[in-house]
């Protein structure tokens, strides 16, 4: 049976009531957040969390991010060091996940944290925070897509991928940020970047006056399985740093920069004709899906600047282009 879709702009109260009912029964609900659409379930209920993994076809060893209504709720589940608190106060609600020591016996199930003694926490902006406040418990929520595929930035994306497996999808329009959260872990005086995302590293460094340490090479598996090489994969092959388009390729470019061979491309998309990296991030997954839907065998992608949100964009593109497993 196809999922019921409720538009939160039309019936916000019904969206909250219905979502709380389904979540309370231990089933996942697809919800809009400002990063990407999440597949949310009660983080304290092992049956509910198991259903997230089943629906996504996701390997079980991945820890899930727990979404909280506000900092006060987060403090009931995790311990904050001074730098993490500073970051939370500055950037929550928003596209920042902090990996923090888990409070023992706080109720978050070990399936959510993959048995770790830490927990990834985020306070999302807007509707989803209100929903969590109404539900009263944290929601574990990875992106609402089949594992390894492109993340959804609209209710339509979710319905096309998981509509037959879900009971309820909440439609909050296009995700404003469009890429997943930036994940940080503070260790003493060090701030480690576990995943670049919707909050620019430059903003974190400006606030804290510290240099954010990037991963050297692939992250240790347990710490960041969301960082496995092939991820966000479209059906078509992906070719990065393209300076020209080959016949039959779909082309994704940036800032209106001309690419030779464009006239032979099956379709041309510009992530941001004005050269705005935040706009490019918001369009990224939708344009990858649309380029894929043209039936092109390959998607050629022009170089994207690597500063600001460009770091997250390039991280996702690198994974979209990585050799596929299986
Ligand atoms: P997502 O696929 O967006 O749900 O992101 C989940 C990612 O958050 C994981 O792959 C980890 O990189 C990170 N994460 C979540 N919880 C933890 C944790 N307890 N310890 C370390 N990393 C975590
Ligand atoms: Mg994901």
């Amino acid at each position: 049976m196809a999922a019921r879709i409720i538009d939160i702009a039309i019936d916000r109260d019904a969206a909250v009531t219905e979502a709380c009912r389904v979540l309370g029964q231990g089933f996942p609900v697809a919800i809009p957040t400002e990063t990407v659409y999440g597949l949310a379930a009660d983080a304290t209920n092992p049956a509910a969390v198991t259903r997230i993994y089943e629906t996504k076809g996701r390997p079980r060893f991945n820890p899930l991010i727990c979404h909280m209504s506000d900092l006060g709720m987060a403090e009931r589940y995790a311990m904050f060091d001074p730098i993490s608190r500073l970051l939370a106060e500055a950037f929550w609600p928003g596209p920042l996940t902090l990996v923090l020591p888990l409070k023992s016996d706080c109720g978050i199930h070990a399936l959510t944290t993959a048995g770790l003694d830490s927990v990834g926490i985020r306070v999302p902006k807007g509707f989803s925070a209100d929903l969590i406040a109404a539900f009263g418990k944290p929601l574990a929520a990875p992106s609402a897509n089949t594992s390894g595929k492109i993340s959804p930035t609209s209710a339509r994306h979710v319905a096309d991928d998981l509509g037959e497996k879900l009971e309820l999808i909440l439609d909050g329009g296009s995700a404003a940020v469009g890429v997943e959260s930036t994940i940080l872990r503070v260790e003493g005086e060090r701030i480690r970047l576990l995943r670049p995302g919707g909050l620019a590293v430059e903003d974190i460094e400006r606030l804290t006056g510290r240099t954010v340490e990037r991963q050297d090479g692939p992250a240790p598996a347990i710490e960041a399985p969301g960082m496995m090489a092939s991820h966000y994969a479209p059906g078509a092959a992906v070719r990065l740093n393209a300076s020209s388009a080959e016949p039959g390729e779909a082309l994704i470019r940036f800032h209106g920069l001309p690419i030779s061979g464009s006239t032979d491309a099956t379709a041309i998309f510009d992530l941001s004709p004005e050269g705005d990296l935040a706009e490019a991030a918001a369009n990224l997954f939708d344009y990858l899906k649309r380029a894929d839907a043209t039936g092109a065998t390959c998607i050629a992608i022009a170089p994207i600047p690597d500063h600001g949100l460009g770091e997250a964009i390039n991280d996702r593109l690198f994974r979209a282009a990585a050799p596929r497993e299986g």
Side-chain angles (χ1 to χ4, degrees):
M1 206 187 70
R4 181 173 165 208
I5 301 178
I6 302 179
D7 187 331
I8 66 166
I10 294 172
D11 204 343
R12 197 180 171 98
D13 291 347
V16 172
T17 307
E18 276 303 286
C20 286
R21 184 182 64 76
V22 176
L23 292 168
Q25 291 173 344
F27 287 87
V29 175
I31 62 169
T33 86
E34 80 278 38
T35 55
V36 301
Y37 274 66
L39 187 61
D42 181 348
T44 68
N45 177 344
V49 176
T50 299
R51 290 188 179 110
I52 294 180
Y53 288 113
E54 282 168 0
T55 307
K56 284 182 64 74
R58 185 179 206 183
R60 285 195 189 210
F61 47 77
N62 271 22
L64 302 175
I65 294 173
C66 288
H67 294 72
M68 307 280 172
S69 57
D70 54 26
L71 177 56
M73 185 177 192
E75 282 174 319
R76 302 215 298 269
Y77 297 93
M79 269 132 18
F80 283 76
D81 60 90
I83 296 175
S84 293
R85 182 176 300 279
L86 177 75
L87 290 163
E89 284 172 348
F91 297 122
W92 283 353
L96 171 68
T97 296
L98 296 169
V99 174
L100 300 161
L102 186 65
K103 281 194 174 167
S104 50
D105 302 323
C106 69
I108 290 179
H109 198 270
L111 272 177
T112 304
T113 57
L116 301 172
D117 53 11
S118 60
V119 58
I121 292 188
R122 180 169 102 79
V123 175
K125 199 178 234 162
F127 173 83
S128 42
D130 296 346
L131 172 63
I132 297 162
F135 187 58
K137 288 187 271 186
L139 294 180
S143 53
N145 57 284
T146 302
S147 189
K149 300 292 181 199
I150 300 169
S151 301
T153 55
S154 69
R156 177 50 41 206
H157 292 163
V158 181
D160 287 348
D161 182 9
L162 300 178
E164 296 298 318
K165 296 182 175 172
L166 293 176
E167 189 173 333
L168 181 63
I169 297 172
L170 303 183
D171 184 351
S174 291
V177 175
V179 291
E180 296 83 351
S181 58
T182 300
I183 306 181
L184 297 179
R185 182 177 199 144
V186 177
E187 287 170 0
E189 302 291 301
R190 300 169 61 201
I191 306 176
R192 294 175 50 217
L193 180 68
L194 299 188
R195 174 177 77 184
L199 176 66
V201 164
E202 290 89 333
D203 292 337
I204 298 160
E205 294 185 329
R206 204 171 303 122
L207 175 82
T208 59
R210 288 165 202 277
T211 303
V212 172
E213 297 177 28
R214 290 168 171 85
Q215 301 287 149
D216 267 343
I222 193 68
E223 213 166 28
M227 307 196 74
M228 45 198 152
S230 176
H231 216 75
Y232 313 100
V238 173
R239 191 164 67 81
L240 301 182
N241 295 318
S243 54
S244 65
E246 305 291 329
E249 284 185 332
L251 178 64
I252 295 181
R253 62 180 193 183
F254 177 74
H255 205 169
L257 296 174
I259 301 270
S260 67
S262 293
T263 47
D264 293 325
T266 57
I268 303 175
F269 302 88
D270 196 321
L271 290 170
S272 171
E274 306 294 316
D276 175 352
L277 287 165
E279 181 186 28
N283 286 329
L284 178 67
F285 292 141
D286 188 46
Y287 287 9
L288 276 173
K289 283 174 189 283
R290 285 162 61 176
D292 205 19
T294 66
T297 50
C298 183
I299 304 171
I301 304 180
I304 312 292
D306 206 33
H307 58 83
L309 293 196
E311 185 172 358
I313 294 172
N314 283 318
D315 173 80
R316 303 307 185 268
L317 287 175
F318 182 76
R319 289 171 212 290
R324 315 279 162 86
E325 297 135 19

